[in-house]
Amino acid sequence: MEWSEQARAAERRRDWDAAIALVSADAECYATDPVRHGNHLCHMDLLVRAERLPELAELALTDVHARRRLNRSLRERGTEATLRDRAADGDLDALYVLVRLLCETGRPQAAHRVVQGIDPNNQYAHQIMAPFRSPSSGTH
């Protein structure tokens, strides 16, 4: 059985250690080989499914894919405080994910306060909020 088949079988039986070990052995961030790059993205997803957020957070310090996957997972879990902390520490992706989450859940004023407190001149954050502003909201 080829390693990729073994990894899928391990994933199906929720043997995360085996699945992660098999996939990560043939994974490379920004690889010129699309299969190795795809395996890298799969590795990040497996870490989330295995609930290994601390390991993903460690990788997120130097890996943009880990950072994005971690932030998406935090959004899915509704952990706004952690996203806010990550954004305050300079993770712009966390800021954008948090702003989208707040706006999409009917809290554009909260999103505006977050942006004002963390990065008031961030044009992309303001673009994210723009469709959610009501003319009477007074947010800019």
Side-chain angles (χ1 to χ4, degrees):
M1 183 183 300
E2 190 175 310
W3 73 264
S4 59
E5 293 170 9
Q6 292 174 344
R8 283 191 292 279
E11 185 179 355
R12 281 191 300 274
R13 59 177 192 273
R14 298 183 182 277
D15 182 352
W16 303 120
D17 290 337
I20 289 167
L22 287 162
V23 170
S24 66
D26 195 48
E28 183 182 342
C29 184
Y30 293 118
T32 55
D33 175 0
V35 172
R36 290 183 63 80
H37 180 71
N39 290 340
H40 175 68
L41 299 177
C42 181
H43 177 211
M44 300 303 107
D45 286 340
L46 285 170
L47 290 173
V48 170
R49 294 185 63 207
E51 307 265 338
R52 292 187 183 181
L53 295 188
E55 189 176 338
L56 190 59
E58 183 67 29
L59 290 171
L61 296 173
T62 58
D63 183 326
V64 66
H65 302 105
R67 185 169 45 255
R68 288 177 184 156
R69 189 60 186 97
L70 175 62
N71 292 336
R72 245 183 28 241
S73 177
L74 293 171
R75 177 198 166 115
E76 291 162 1
R77 296 163 190 266
T79 53
E80 294 173 17
T82 304
L83 281 169
R84 187 176 283 111
D85 291 344
R86 292 182 59 74
D89 287 342
D91 182 346
L92 290 177
D93 182 64
L95 176 64
Y96 304 147
V97 168
L98 178 60
V99 167
R100 278 189 201 92
L101 173 63
L102 293 170
C103 287
E104 290 170 0
T105 55
R107 298 174 287 159
Q109 293 81 9
H112 180 75
R113 286 191 300 275
V114 165
V115 172
Q116 289 306 111
I118 293 175
D119 193 356
N121 296 318
N122 187 307
Q123 292 303 309
Y124 187 64
H126 286 282
Q127 280 182 323
I128 293 169
M129 292 186 296
F132 298 94
R133 289 195 191 109
S134 65
S136 62
S137 70
T139 58
H140 304 283

